[in-house]
Amino acid sequence: MPGPPVTAIAHSNIALVKYWGKRPGEDNVPATPSLSITLEALTTRTTVREARADVVRVNGEPVGDTKVAGWLAKMRAAWDLPPLAVSSHNDFPTSAGLASSASGFAALVTAADAAFGLGLDATARSVWARRGSASAARSVFGGFVTLDAEAAWAAAPLLAEDAWPLEVVVAITSDNAKAVPSTVGMERSARTSPFHDGWIRSAAEDYASARQAVKRRDFDLLAEVAEHSCLKMHALMLSTRPPLWYWNEATLAALAVVRELRASGVPVFFTVDAGPQVKAVCAPGHSEPVGAALGRVRGIRRVLRSGLGGGARCVAEPASPS
Ligand code: 2P0
């Protein structure tokens, strides 16, 4: 008898110290440590049920997602899993630099664990999520989250979401899927950028500073190191051959506005991932004027405001029928 369908939700996360590059080998281990915040307002809801054959749907459409197929093959090397129907819904643009694979794999492993009684704790789910997509390891946890070698490349919670309730404004400049997937881009950067060695060498220092900033709730220090990590990653991307060019005109316009706001005393800093969206991270209580200012920028389609969210968890309400 097949068991009942199980649904889990997970939130997307954004890295303030970025991951870009992998260690050699099969286990999807990052080449650098990273530190992220989990975003309450960007949610993936994933339902897993037994089926006659594997089928994966994202927002109702069947996808031939090789990342999910490869991940299921790894899971089946460890457990005897039946064929699965996976139905996943994002309430934000998919594959546009908003970390849909992060929330997607965190929700998937959480639902699969509960559906098949795998008995995984959060750390083990984080390791399995990482094998699907490294940033997904971090979405298993809420608040401020680290991912490093000391924890054997399972993510770990650093500070709870309500202990320092930063707010984030996401400025959406495009709903299109990104041109170069992250996995492909990282491999290309490692192979062709003359900046790659420096990127790897300098990551530990950024990571240590950011950890200190979070522990001390030092917004200015976190702002400085997060913007540095972001710009350094984009310098690495732009120095890749052919270049990884994720920004558009509205991205640059939004960055200029965040810089002006900060110069005028508003506690806000920016970060940008492998896509054209700008995330403005604000001290508690400051996202409203930042959202209003970014909403007026030419080329910005809309802005989302988010608090920090919790970790991946099972819920009663399934993903929409598909
Ligand atoms: C991050 N990004 O730390 C960085 C910053 C994008 C830019 O993690 O190959 O989808 O599946 O492990 O996790 C996006 O890469 O890559 C990412 P894979 P993933 O959030």
Side-chain angles (χ1 to χ4, degrees), residues 16 206 209 213 218-231 262 268-270:
L16 304 183
D206 298 341
S209 301
D218 183 336
F219 190 85
D220 288 341
L221 177 59
L222 189 61
E224 198 281 326
V225 68
E227 289 188 350
H228 173 65
S229 178
C230 166
L231 292 172
R262 177 100 158 286
V268 59
F269 64 85
F270 63 77

PDB file of all heavy atoms in Angstrom, residues 16 206 209 213 218-231 262 268-270:
ATOM      1  N   LEU A  16      25.321  35.910   2.027  1.00  0.00           N
ATOM      2  CA  LEU A  16      26.004  37.185   2.266  1.00  0.00           C
ATOM      3  C   LEU A  16      27.506  36.998   2.084  1.00  0.00           C
ATOM      4  O   LEU A  16      28.213  37.940   1.713  1.00  0.00           O
ATOM      5  CB  LEU A  16      25.665  37.692   3.672  1.00  0.00           C
ATOM      6  CG  LEU A  16      24.154  37.843   3.939  1.00  0.00           C
ATOM      7  CD1 LEU A  16      23.907  38.418   5.319  1.00  0.00           C
ATOM      8  CD2 LEU A  16      23.476  38.697   2.863  1.00  0.00           C
ATOM      9  N   ASP A 206      36.711  36.483   4.646  1.00  0.00           N
ATOM     10  CA  ASP A 206      35.364  37.075   4.546  1.00  0.00           C
ATOM     11  C   ASP A 206      34.403  36.334   5.468  1.00  0.00           C
ATOM     12  O   ASP A 206      33.572  36.935   6.162  1.00  0.00           O
ATOM     13  CB  ASP A 206      34.820  36.977   3.113  1.00  0.00           C
ATOM     14  CG  ASP A 206      35.663  37.725   2.106  1.00  0.00           C
ATOM     15  OD1 ASP A 206      36.444  38.607   2.523  1.00  0.00           O
ATOM     16  OD2 ASP A 206      35.545  37.427   0.908  1.00  0.00           O
ATOM     17  N   SER A 209      34.924  37.175   9.133  1.00  0.00           N
ATOM     18  CA  SER A 209      34.399  38.522   9.449  1.00  0.00           C
ATOM     19  C   SER A 209      32.879  38.516   9.526  1.00  0.00           C
ATOM     20  O   SER A 209      32.290  39.134  10.422  1.00  0.00           O
ATOM     21  CB  SER A 209      34.786  39.536   8.357  1.00  0.00           C
ATOM     22  OG  SER A 209      36.159  39.608   8.233  1.00  0.00           O
ATOM     23  N   ALA A 213      30.436  39.476  12.576  1.00  0.00           N
ATOM     24  CA  ALA A 213      29.432  40.542  12.429  1.00  0.00           C
ATOM     25  C   ALA A 213      28.063  40.066  12.879  1.00  0.00           C
ATOM     26  O   ALA A 213      27.334  40.789  13.566  1.00  0.00           O
ATOM     27  CB  ALA A 213      29.385  41.004  10.966  1.00  0.00           C
ATOM     28  N   ASP A 218      26.594  43.383  14.214  1.00  0.00           N
ATOM     29  CA  ASP A 218      27.297  44.574  13.729  1.00  0.00           C
ATOM     30  C   ASP A 218      26.914  44.797  12.261  1.00  0.00           C
ATOM     31  O   ASP A 218      27.481  44.193  11.352  1.00  0.00           O
ATOM     32  CB  ASP A 218      28.810  44.350  13.884  1.00  0.00           C
ATOM     33  CG  ASP A 218      29.635  45.554  13.470  1.00  0.00           C
ATOM     34  OD1 ASP A 218      29.157  46.370  12.667  1.00  0.00           O
ATOM     35  OD2 ASP A 218      30.782  45.665  13.946  1.00  0.00           O
ATOM     36  N   PHE A 219      25.909  45.662  12.054  1.00  0.00           N
ATOM     37  CA  PHE A 219      25.361  45.838  10.702  1.00  0.00           C
ATOM     38  C   PHE A 219      26.395  46.400   9.737  1.00  0.00           C
ATOM     39  O   PHE A 219      26.500  45.953   8.585  1.00  0.00           O
ATOM     40  CB  PHE A 219      24.123  46.753  10.750  1.00  0.00           C
ATOM     41  CG  PHE A 219      23.381  46.780   9.439  1.00  0.00           C
ATOM     42  CD1 PHE A 219      22.437  45.812   9.139  1.00  0.00           C
ATOM     43  CD2 PHE A 219      23.638  47.780   8.503  1.00  0.00           C
ATOM     44  CE1 PHE A 219      21.769  45.820   7.920  1.00  0.00           C
ATOM     45  CE2 PHE A 219      22.968  47.798   7.287  1.00  0.00           C
ATOM     46  CZ  PHE A 219      22.028  46.816   7.000  1.00  0.00           C
ATOM     47  N   ASP A 220      27.178  47.381  10.180  1.00  0.00           N
ATOM     48  CA  ASP A 220      28.148  48.014   9.273  1.00  0.00           C
ATOM     49  C   ASP A 220      29.213  47.023   8.818  1.00  0.00           C
ATOM     50  O   ASP A 220      29.595  47.011   7.647  1.00  0.00           O
ATOM     51  CB  ASP A 220      28.822  49.218   9.950  1.00  0.00           C
ATOM     52  CG  ASP A 220      27.850  50.376  10.086  1.00  0.00           C
ATOM     53  OD1 ASP A 220      26.838  50.383   9.364  1.00  0.00           O
ATOM     54  OD2 ASP A 220      28.093  51.252  10.938  1.00  0.00           O
ATOM     55  N   LEU A 221      29.675  46.196   9.731  1.00  0.00           N
ATOM     56  CA  LEU A 221      30.675  45.186   9.358  1.00  0.00           C
ATOM     57  C   LEU A 221      30.076  44.161   8.397  1.00  0.00           C
ATOM     58  O   LEU A 221      30.699  43.789   7.395  1.00  0.00           O
ATOM     59  CB  LEU A 221      31.229  44.492  10.618  1.00  0.00           C
ATOM     60  CG  LEU A 221      32.237  43.372  10.372  1.00  0.00           C
ATOM     61  CD1 LEU A 221      33.458  43.864   9.602  1.00  0.00           C
ATOM     62  CD2 LEU A 221      32.678  42.731  11.696  1.00  0.00           C
ATOM     63  N   LEU A 222      28.839  43.736   8.682  1.00  0.00           N
ATOM     64  CA  LEU A 222      28.195  42.763   7.790  1.00  0.00           C
ATOM     65  C   LEU A 222      27.989  43.378   6.406  1.00  0.00           C
ATOM     66  O   LEU A 222      28.206  42.714   5.379  1.00  0.00           O
ATOM     67  CB  LEU A 222      26.855  42.308   8.390  1.00  0.00           C
ATOM     68  CG  LEU A 222      26.177  41.145   7.663  1.00  0.00           C
ATOM     69  CD1 LEU A 222      27.043  39.886   7.675  1.00  0.00           C
ATOM     70  CD2 LEU A 222      24.796  40.843   8.279  1.00  0.00           C
ATOM     71  N   ALA A 223      27.590  44.648   6.377  1.00  0.00           N
ATOM     72  CA  ALA A 223      27.385  45.338   5.089  1.00  0.00           C
ATOM     73  C   ALA A 223      28.681  45.365   4.286  1.00  0.00           C
ATOM     74  O   ALA A 223      28.695  45.062   3.083  1.00  0.00           O
ATOM     75  CB  ALA A 223      26.896  46.772   5.354  1.00  0.00           C
ATOM     76  N   GLU A 224      29.769  45.706   4.948  1.00  0.00           N
ATOM     77  CA  GLU A 224      31.048  45.844   4.231  1.00  0.00           C
ATOM     78  C   GLU A 224      31.499  44.509   3.662  1.00  0.00           C
ATOM     79  O   GLU A 224      31.855  44.406   2.484  1.00  0.00           O
ATOM     80  CB  GLU A 224      32.085  46.427   5.204  1.00  0.00           C
ATOM     81  CG  GLU A 224      33.301  47.029   4.526  1.00  0.00           C
ATOM     82  CD  GLU A 224      34.317  45.994   4.078  1.00  0.00           C
ATOM     83  OE1 GLU A 224      34.466  44.970   4.765  1.00  0.00           O
ATOM     84  OE2 GLU A 224      34.956  46.202   3.025  1.00  0.00           O
ATOM     85  N   VAL A 225      31.431  43.465   4.470  1.00  0.00           N
ATOM     86  CA  VAL A 225      31.952  42.170   4.004  1.00  0.00           C
ATOM     87  C   VAL A 225      31.000  41.540   2.981  1.00  0.00           C
ATOM     88  O   VAL A 225      31.451  40.917   2.007  1.00  0.00           O
ATOM     89  CB  VAL A 225      32.262  41.223   5.189  1.00  0.00           C
ATOM     90  CG1 VAL A 225      31.029  40.759   5.910  1.00  0.00           C
ATOM     91  CG2 VAL A 225      33.056  40.019   4.720  1.00  0.00           C
ATOM     92  N   ALA A 226      29.696  41.720   3.156  1.00  0.00           N
ATOM     93  CA  ALA A 226      28.740  41.121   2.215  1.00  0.00           C
ATOM     94  C   ALA A 226      28.861  41.775   0.833  1.00  0.00           C
ATOM     95  O   ALA A 226      28.861  41.088  -0.196  1.00  0.00           O
ATOM     96  CB  ALA A 226      27.314  41.247   2.741  1.00  0.00           C
ATOM     97  N   GLU A 227      28.963  43.107   0.792  1.00  0.00           N
ATOM     98  CA  GLU A 227      29.106  43.769  -0.513  1.00  0.00           C
ATOM     99  C   GLU A 227      30.433  43.374  -1.157  1.00  0.00           C
ATOM    100  O   GLU A 227      30.512  43.153  -2.369  1.00  0.00           O
ATOM    101  CB  GLU A 227      28.985  45.295  -0.360  1.00  0.00           C
ATOM    102  CG  GLU A 227      27.542  45.699  -0.026  1.00  0.00           C
ATOM    103  CD  GLU A 227      27.312  47.205  -0.048  1.00  0.00           C
ATOM    104  OE1 GLU A 227      28.308  47.977  -0.140  1.00  0.00           O
ATOM    105  OE2 GLU A 227      26.139  47.620   0.040  1.00  0.00           O
ATOM    106  N   HIS A 228      31.472  43.257  -0.338  1.00  0.00           N
ATOM    107  CA  HIS A 228      32.768  42.845  -0.883  1.00  0.00           C
ATOM    108  C   HIS A 228      32.681  41.433  -1.484  1.00  0.00           C
ATOM    109  O   HIS A 228      33.141  41.186  -2.603  1.00  0.00           O
ATOM    110  CB  HIS A 228      33.831  42.891   0.213  1.00  0.00           C
ATOM    111  CG  HIS A 228      35.141  42.326  -0.203  1.00  0.00           C
ATOM    112  ND1 HIS A 228      35.927  42.895  -1.193  1.00  0.00           N
ATOM    113  CD2 HIS A 228      35.799  41.202   0.186  1.00  0.00           C
ATOM    114  CE1 HIS A 228      37.011  42.152  -1.371  1.00  0.00           C
ATOM    115  NE2 HIS A 228      36.956  41.129  -0.551  1.00  0.00           N
ATOM    116  N   SER A 229      32.078  40.495  -0.757  1.00  0.00           N
ATOM    117  CA  SER A 229      31.975  39.116  -1.259  1.00  0.00           C
ATOM    118  C   SER A 229      31.165  39.079  -2.554  1.00  0.00           C
ATOM    119  O   SER A 229      31.523  38.386  -3.519  1.00  0.00           O
ATOM    120  CB  SER A 229      31.329  38.220  -0.191  1.00  0.00           C
ATOM    121  OG  SER A 229      31.170  36.914  -0.667  1.00  0.00           O
ATOM    122  N   CYS A 230      30.086  39.843  -2.587  1.00  0.00           N
ATOM    123  CA  CYS A 230      29.240  39.900  -3.792  1.00  0.00           C
ATOM    124  C   CYS A 230      30.007  40.462  -4.988  1.00  0.00           C
ATOM    125  O   CYS A 230      30.028  39.873  -6.066  1.00  0.00           O
ATOM    126  CB  CYS A 230      28.006  40.760  -3.492  1.00  0.00           C
ATOM    127  SG  CYS A 230      27.093  41.244  -4.951  1.00  0.00           S
ATOM    128  N   LEU A 231      30.652  41.607  -4.779  1.00  0.00           N
ATOM    129  CA  LEU A 231      31.348  42.244  -5.909  1.00  0.00           C
ATOM    130  C   LEU A 231      32.536  41.399  -6.364  1.00  0.00           C
ATOM    131  O   LEU A 231      32.837  41.331  -7.563  1.00  0.00           O
ATOM    132  CB  LEU A 231      31.803  43.650  -5.522  1.00  0.00           C
ATOM    133  CG  LEU A 231      30.644  44.637  -5.302  1.00  0.00           C
ATOM    134  CD1 LEU A 231      31.168  45.948  -4.742  1.00  0.00           C
ATOM    135  CD2 LEU A 231      29.846  44.867  -6.581  1.00  0.00           C
ATOM    136  N   ARG A 262      22.496  54.292   1.485  1.00  0.00           N
ATOM    137  CA  ARG A 262      23.467  54.013   2.547  1.00  0.00           C
ATOM    138  C   ARG A 262      24.284  55.263   2.857  1.00  0.00           C
ATOM    139  O   ARG A 262      24.509  55.599   4.018  1.00  0.00           O
ATOM    140  CB  ARG A 262      24.355  52.871   2.086  1.00  0.00           C
ATOM    141  CG  ARG A 262      25.453  52.511   3.041  1.00  0.00           C
ATOM    142  CD  ARG A 262      25.122  51.283   3.894  1.00  0.00           C
ATOM    143  NE  ARG A 262      26.374  50.737   4.343  1.00  0.00           N
ATOM    144  CZ  ARG A 262      27.184  50.078   3.530  1.00  0.00           C
ATOM    145  NH1 ARG A 262      26.838  49.845   2.269  1.00  0.00           N
ATOM    146  NH2 ARG A 262      28.323  49.646   3.986  1.00  0.00           N
ATOM    147  N   VAL A 268      21.355  49.944   5.019  1.00  0.00           N
ATOM    148  CA  VAL A 268      20.999  48.997   3.960  1.00  0.00           C
ATOM    149  C   VAL A 268      22.257  48.655   3.170  1.00  0.00           C
ATOM    150  O   VAL A 268      23.142  49.505   3.012  1.00  0.00           O
ATOM    151  CB  VAL A 268      19.902  49.598   3.034  1.00  0.00           C
ATOM    152  CG1 VAL A 268      20.341  50.905   2.388  1.00  0.00           C
ATOM    153  CG2 VAL A 268      19.474  48.606   1.955  1.00  0.00           C
ATOM    154  N   PHE A 269      22.361  47.402   2.727  1.00  0.00           N
ATOM    155  CA  PHE A 269      23.426  47.032   1.797  1.00  0.00           C
ATOM    156  C   PHE A 269      22.852  46.105   0.734  1.00  0.00           C
ATOM    157  O   PHE A 269      21.737  45.592   0.875  1.00  0.00           O
ATOM    158  CB  PHE A 269      24.618  46.404   2.530  1.00  0.00           C
ATOM    159  CG  PHE A 269      24.344  45.090   3.231  1.00  0.00           C
ATOM    160  CD1 PHE A 269      24.421  43.881   2.550  1.00  0.00           C
ATOM    161  CD2 PHE A 269      24.030  45.064   4.584  1.00  0.00           C
ATOM    162  CE1 PHE A 269      24.186  42.669   3.201  1.00  0.00           C
ATOM    163  CE2 PHE A 269      23.802  43.851   5.240  1.00  0.00           C
ATOM    164  CZ  PHE A 269      23.880  42.653   4.548  1.00  0.00           C
ATOM    165  N   PHE A 270      23.624  45.900  -0.338  1.00  0.00           N
ATOM    166  CA  PHE A 270      23.110  45.098  -1.458  1.00  0.00           C
ATOM    167  C   PHE A 270      23.817  43.755  -1.545  1.00  0.00           C
ATOM    168  O   PHE A 270      24.938  43.585  -1.059  1.00  0.00           O
ATOM    169  CB  PHE A 270      23.288  45.851  -2.782  1.00  0.00           C
ATOM    170  CG  PHE A 270      24.727  46.136  -3.154  1.00  0.00           C
ATOM    171  CD1 PHE A 270      25.552  45.127  -3.668  1.00  0.00           C
ATOM    172  CD2 PHE A 270      25.265  47.405  -2.988  1.00  0.00           C
ATOM    173  CE1 PHE A 270      26.877  45.392  -4.006  1.00  0.00           C
ATOM    174  CE2 PHE A 270      26.593  47.673  -3.317  1.00  0.00           C
ATOM    175  CZ  PHE A 270      27.400  46.666  -3.827  1.00  0.00           C
TER     176      PHE A 270
END
